[in-house]
Each structure stands twice: as structure tokens, then as C-alpha cells.
Amino acid sequence: MPLALLALAIGAFGIGTTEFVIMGLLPEVAGDFGVSIPTAGLLVTGYALGVVVGAPLMTVLGTKVSRKRMLMLLMVLFIAGNLLSALAPAFAVMMVGRVVASLAHGAFFGIGSVVAADLVAPDKKAGAIAMMFTGLTVANVVGVPLGTFVGQSVGWRVTFGIVAALGVVGLLGIARLVPDLPKAEGVRLRHELAAFKNTQVLLAMAMTVLGFGGVFAAITYIAPMMTHVAGFSDSSVTWLLVLFGLGMVGGNLVGGRYADRALMPLLYVSLGALAVVLALFTLTAHHKVLAAVTIALIGALGFATVPPLQKRVLDQAHGAPTLASAVNIGAFNLGNALAAWLGGLVIAADMGYTSPNWVGAALAAAALLLALLSAALERRDRVPSTVVTGASPAEREVAVHH
């Protein structure tokens, strides 16, 4: 793998840390600002919605800039947002800081996915994308638990200051290691927008929203769920997030390995198993060991879908993939926002801290149904037109059926 992928992974590490560390610090942030846990959970929703808006907005604004320079500008925005969060005097100001940082997220991973895929041979694209996303998954093994520990020990503001410093390291890595690749000739914004007329692109994005949304429905409220239901101490949340991160790393590597070989079967297995595991989490959350195992499985199954879904969007938007790739990252976070909001609703309705797991299971099951629909439509479209047009009605029926 090219060394430039390491630079992209470093940037992804910083972004992954700031995205996920808030979940381990919700009680501390809520207590400091004097708000409820569901209200503090809006910091997850706000960040995710910022990614949804920022992904297409920043990508369009960067159409006149080289991809390398745009990646650097996005890291500057990320640094500024995290510094604002660290210094926020009120909850509303912290929300603004989270949104500012989130504007860099979608475009960074979207543009970074295109750059990573361009650096390798066609049959290695999913592996290269997975390599970049490894920074995001490793953040959940190292950055998020460490950030949670620091936040619980010396204050969550210190955590966000460290995250801003990670952004500086990512910026320097991109400046030094990522080549200034030429942009594709003749590709204009209208070509990028045309990708959204493709039904398969839209279906892949919908799968992204629902599938990863299922993960966030459970994980957003992991701290109160594990401390109030499973009986873990506050300090145990750190190593539980390590387990989640280890699962993400494993799932990401498996997804990157097999997405180039059997993309749709991989999605069937991972989404179906994710729905089952999330439903079971309502039961296993009451037992410490089973809860820990379940958290790791959720991370693995959830992130096994990331490389195949990102590659599917790139494949279907072939020729003008940058905007579609960025919007798909936004779709991940739209699912995060939807899930965090729905999870907060069921908790606020006194259905218990395990109730978001049912929300997650339903979202993952819906994503599986869309994957099956996508494959069925693809099989139908592959029927040779000559066979269908020149055949009798009965033969056409057989051809379409097969």
C-alpha cells in the first residue's frame, strides 16, 4: 500500500476520535453544562447532521481546488472546531464547535476515498479504502478510550484540546505524504450530480443510513446503558469502548478484504447478523461478560459494511465519484443522527436504556431488505436486451426471472 494512505489514515484517526469520544463523555458533559443525558446526546446528532450538510457543501466548494489542498483545508476546519469545543463556555457554543468540526468530516472521507482508490490497482480499491478507514477504527481502540479516560480524569475539555492537536498531526502528514494527483479531465459538477440519478447509488446510500444507524442507536448511549443496566463502573466505559474499537478494526479489515470479491454477499451476512445481535443486546446488556462480547460484535458487524458500501457507490458513480463518495459519508452520519435522536426518544419515553437496541435492530433489518432489493434490480438490469426484446412473452418472463 502506498505511504500516502498512512497520511490519510492519520487524518481519519483524528476525525474518528472526535466523532466517537463524545459518547464516552456524555455524563461528564451533561453534568458540566447542567443538561440531561438525552440533551447531551444532541451533540452526537448535531455532529452527524453537520457531516450530512458539510459533505456535499465542502466537496462542491472544493471543485476548483486540488484534492490534496482540499484535504488540508478540511483539516484546518477540523482543528478550529475542536478548539472551539474545548473552550466552549456554554452548551450552545460547544454545539457550534461540534458542527464546525463536522463540516470537514464527510468531505475528508469522501475525497480521501477517491484519492485512496486512485493510488492502487482496480482490484485493490476496497482494500485501499479500508486502509484509510483503519485510522477511524484504530481511533476507537486508542484515541476514544484514551480520550474518555483523560476526560473522566482531568476534564473533557482537555480531551478536545488533544483532538485538535491530532488534527495538526494529520494536516502535516497530508502536506508531506499525499501526492498532488491531477483531477479527472472533463469532469464537471453536472457530471458529479448525474450520479444521483442512478438508483443503485441511492439504494447504497439508503443502506448506509440504515445499516450504520443501527450501530449508533446502541453505541450512542453505551455509557448510561453499561453503568445503569449492566452494572459497570464509570471507569469501565473506557475499556468497553476499546472492545468496540477492536471489533471495528476487525470488521473493517474483513470488509476491505472481501468487498473486492463478494460485495453483496458480504452485505447480506453483515447486515443480517447485525440486526440479530442488536436485538439480542437488549438481553445481553444485563450481563457484564455477554454485554462486552456483544459490543465487540456490533463494532465488527457494523464496520464490515463500510468498505463494501463505499466501494459500491464509487463503482456505480464511475467517472465522477467524488461528490457521491462524500455524500455517502454524509449518509453514514445521517444514520448516526437519526439513530441518536430515535434512541433519545425511546429513553425519554421511559422505555429504559436498552430500548435503543430495538431501534438499531429495526434499522439494520431495513438495510438488509434494501440490499436484497438492490441485488434484485441489478439482476433484472443485467438481462440481455436482445434476449428480452426478441423473445416471446413467456421467454421474456423466464429471462427476467433468471
Side-chain angles (χ1 to χ4, degrees):
M1 289 291 181
L3 190 60
L5 292 177
L6 174 61
L8 295 174
I10 292 171
F13 178 85
I15 292 175
T17 300
T18 201
E19 179 181 19
F20 292 104
V21 76
I22 187 65
M23 291 178 289
L25 297 175
L26 279 184
E28 286 72 22
V29 173
D32 197 15
F33 288 124
V35 299
S36 67
I37 291 288
T39 299
L42 292 176
L43 292 171
V44 177
T45 303
Y47 185 95
L49 290 177
V51 176
V52 174
V53 174
L57 177 63
M58 301 308 295
T59 303
V60 169
L61 290 176
T63 52
K64 302 297 182 183
V65 182
S66 72
R67 287 169 179 163
K68 174 178 178 176
R69 181 169 296 182
M70 191 60 194
L71 288 171
M72 293 173 65
L73 291 173
L74 291 169
M75 289 309 298
V76 171
L77 190 63
F78 169 81
I79 294 165
N82 280 286
L83 284 176
L84 184 58
S85 293
L87 301 173
F91 182 79
V93 178
M94 185 176 184
M95 178 67 80
V96 172
R98 292 284 291 167
V99 171
V100 170
S102 72
L103 293 176
H105 184 127
F108 181 89
F109 281 106
I111 295 171
S113 293
V114 176
V115 171
D118 285 348
L119 290 171
V120 298
D123 62 339
K124 303 289 185 183
K125 289 183 182 295
I129 294 169
M131 178 64 182
M132 182 190 70
F133 275 96
T134 296
L136 178 64
T137 58
V138 170
N140 284 272
V141 179
V142 180
V144 173
L146 181 60
T148 302
F149 174 76
V150 169
Q152 292 175 341
S153 301
V154 296
W156 58 267
R157 295 179 186 277
V158 177
T159 296
F160 283 96
I162 293 173
V163 170
L166 285 174
V168 174
V169 175
L171 173 62
L172 296 175
I174 292 167
R176 183 70 181 270
L177 300 175
V178 173
D180 206 350
L181 297 172
K183 296 174 68 176
E185 292 295 330
V187 176
R188 301 288 184 267
L189 180 58
R190 67 177 182 274
H191 300 125
E192 298 278 358
L193 291 172
F196 296 94
K197 296 179 182 178
N198 187 328
T199 303
Q200 291 294 350
V201 170
L202 298 178
L203 281 172
M205 291 179 178
M207 283 184 263
T208 298
V209 170
L210 297 172
F212 212 67
V215 174
F216 254 65
I219 297 303
T220 296
Y221 300 99
I222 185 174
M225 191 189 308
M226 291 299 96
T227 55
H228 289 80
V229 178
F232 284 105
S233 64
D234 290 343
S235 60
S236 298
V237 174
T238 298
W239 68 262
L240 289 171
L241 289 173
V242 171
L243 287 178
F244 177 66
L246 287 171
M248 290 175 69
V249 173
N252 180 59
L253 294 176
V254 169
R257 180 179 179 85
Y258 290 102
D260 284 315
R261 306 179 189 178
L263 192 150
M264 293 308 291
L266 175 62
L267 285 177
Y268 301 152
V269 172
S270 55
L271 289 172
L274 179 62
V276 172
V277 169
L278 284 167
L280 289 175
F281 198 22
T282 58
L283 302 176
T284 60
H286 294 270
H287 188 281
K288 287 185 177 180
V289 175
L290 293 179
V293 172
T294 306
I295 288 169
L297 285 175
I298 291 172
L301 293 169
F303 239 81
T305 68
V306 174
L309 284 171
Q310 194 69 7
K311 181 177 183 293
R312 186 158 179 84
V313 169
L314 290 177
D315 289 345
Q316 298 296 331
H318 179 69
T322 309
L323 183 59
S325 175
V327 171
N328 194 51
I329 299 299
F332 278 105
N333 287 272
L334 178 59
N336 299 350
L338 175 67
W341 176 65
L342 291 174
L345 283 183
V346 293
I347 290 175
D350 292 328
M351 298 177 70
Y353 283 119
T354 62
S355 56
N357 299 329
W358 286 115
V359 174
L363 292 173
L368 175 59
L369 293 177
L370 287 184
L372 295 169
L373 173 62
S374 176
L377 292 175
E378 194 168 42
R379 286 194 299 270
R380 183 199 66 182
D381 293 340
R382 282 177 180 170
V383 175
S385 57
T386 52
V387 173
V388 178
T389 357
S392 68
E395 290 170 330
R396 283 200 297 271
E397 178 68 25
V398 172
V400 171
H401 190 66
H402 288 284

